[in-house]
């Protein structure tokens, strides 16, 4: 398999963790400059899939684009979408829910979205997010009576499903944001999310990733003058 994304964590970390967790054989193509991607590689990916974007995944004769489509694809391949219909629906829901959280972090981080037009607006919004982190729905799902894992994981009983990788990445990015602005730890008010965060962080096949340079990479692209690199 070939996985492609910018040389940042962004949406890429979700896949790097998933592929490491499954100890999959894959090439991790990390694009650094705009030319690396837009001039050197994107034209060939467009030949395979007109929806070419970062991230993308090539697996044999398939080229899959769009984060949630790639996660669903890998979930089917590795049995991480849930076994029953209701588990698969919950996986879909969580993938969409966490993408909403991710979009807010993007609006916070990049000046070109014109939501935070200067450093002051970034600081005010970051403070609001850290004071009231967007995790109440995840806490509620972990407490919900149909949770197959008794609140340890979101969908599967015995370990992470595909949505968990993106949820974990967002919990971690919010923790980093809180540390950078000197705010309170974001998980203290969410005991189930905190337990999930810690159980995921201790997964044996992820230890190599957490010790690697990939985990230490910037959260967002510095090429775009981000407030939250
Ligand atoms: N909805 C898309 C968003 C993808 C996206 O916005 N990719 C950004 C980086 S996060 C990019 O720079 N894409 C490269 C391109 O437009 O060719 C997804 O979830 O995959």
């Amino acid at each position: 398999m070939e996985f492609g994304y910018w040389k940042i964590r962004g949406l890429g970390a979700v896949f790097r963790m998933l592929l490491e967790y499954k100890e999959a054989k894959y090439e991790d193509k990390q694009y650094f400059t705009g030319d690396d991607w837009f001039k050197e590689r994107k034209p060939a990916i467009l030949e395979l899939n007109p929806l070419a974007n970062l991230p993308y995944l090539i697996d044999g004769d398939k080229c899959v684009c769009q984060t949630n489509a790639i996660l669903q694809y890998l979930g089917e391949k590795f049995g991480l979408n849930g076994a029953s219909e209701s588990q698969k629906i919950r996986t879909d829901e969580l993938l969409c829910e966490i993408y909403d959280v991710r979009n807010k972090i993007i609006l916070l981080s990049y000046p070109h979205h014109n939501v935070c037009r200067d450093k002051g607006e970034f600081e005010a919004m970051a403070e609001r997010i850290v004071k009231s982190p967007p995790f109440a729905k995840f806490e509620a799902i972990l407490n919900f009576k149909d949770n197959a894992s008794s609140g340890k994981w979101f969908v599967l009983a015995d370990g992470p499903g595909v949505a968990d990788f993106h949820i974990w990445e967002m919990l971690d990015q919010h923790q980093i944001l809180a540390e950078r602005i000197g705010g309170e730890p974001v998980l203290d008010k969410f005991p189930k999310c905190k337990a999930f965060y810690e159980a995921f962080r201790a997964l044996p096949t992820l230890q190599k990733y957490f010790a690697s340079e990939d985990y230490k990479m910037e959260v967002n692209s510095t090429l775009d003058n981000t407030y939250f690199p």
Side-chain angles (χ1 to χ4, degrees):
M1 283 187 283
E2 173 182 323
F3 171 71
Y5 193 66
W6 297 114
K7 191 178 173 55
I8 58 169
R9 274 170 63 172
L11 293 166
V14 181
F15 295 94
R16 294 182 191 119
M17 288 192 288
L18 200 164
L19 293 164
E20 289 299 322
Y21 172 68
K22 291 308 294 180
E23 298 180 301
K25 283 202 170 34
Y26 72 105
E27 186 184 358
D28 185 16
K29 291 257 196 194
Q30 299 184 353
Y31 301 97
F32 186 59
T33 67
D35 279 2
D36 289 347
W37 165 242
F38 289 107
K39 283 200 182 149
E40 305 288 322
R41 190 70 180 124
K42 189 168 182 176
I45 303 296
L46 278 167
E47 296 281 317
L48 302 174
N49 185 343
L51 301 177
N53 210 330
L54 295 174
Y56 69 82
L57 180 83
I58 299 174
D59 186 16
D61 61 355
K62 292 177 203 68
C63 175
V64 191
C65 297
Q66 287 291 336
T67 299
N68 284 348
I70 307 169
L71 285 171
Q72 295 272 12
Y73 174 80
L74 288 172
E76 281 303 307
K77 186 180 175 86
F78 294 133
L80 295 178
N81 284 342
S84 65
E85 188 191 24
S86 56
Q87 286 180 335
K88 285 176 194 273
I89 291 170
R90 178 59 34 81
T91 297
D92 279 354
E93 290 174 333
L94 287 168
L95 286 176
C96 296
E97 193 68 47
I98 195 60
Y99 211 93
D100 290 348
V101 171
R102 182 255 172 191
N103 279 340
K104 286 199 186 113
I105 273 279
I106 294 301
L107 294 181
L108 169 81
S109 301
Y110 290 110
H112 66 259
H113 288 298
N114 267 330
V115 172
C116 296
R117 291 160 299 178
D118 56 39
K119 204 82 201 285
E121 289 189 346
F122 162 75
E123 282 165 3
M125 188 170 165
E127 203 172 308
R128 279 200 305 278
I129 290 175
V130 164
K131 268 202 184 123
S132 182
F135 305 146
K137 286 181 180 172
F138 299 115
E139 190 73 9
I141 283 281
L142 285 172
N143 278 316
F144 201 49
K145 61 177 172 10
D146 76 349
N147 191 306
S149 70
S150 308
K152 184 175 180 197
W153 307 105
F154 284 82
V155 176
L156 307 181
D158 51 1
V162 282
D164 295 286
F165 290 87
H166 204 169
I167 294 169
W168 192 90
E169 177 63 16
M170 281 299 119
L171 298 181
D172 201 44
Q173 289 193 14
H174 281 75
Q175 297 242 92
I176 295 169
L177 180 67
E179 278 163 24
R180 296 233 184 120
I181 68 165
E184 295 293 307
V186 287
L187 293 178
D188 283 3
K189 290 183 214 129
F190 306 96
K192 290 274 185 185
C193 286
K194 192 171 183 180
F196 158 75
Y197 178 88
E198 284 165 4
F200 185 103
R201 180 66 180 77
L203 286 167
T205 57
L206 282 181
Q207 297 315 303
K208 199 168 105 219
Y209 167 77
F210 287 125
S212 74
E213 290 305 309
D214 288 347
Y215 181 54
K216 296 184 197 96
M217 280 196 295
E218 271 137 6
V219 173
N220 290 301
S221 170
T222 46
L223 299 176
D224 290 338
N225 297 319
T226 175
Y227 301 115
F228 179 30

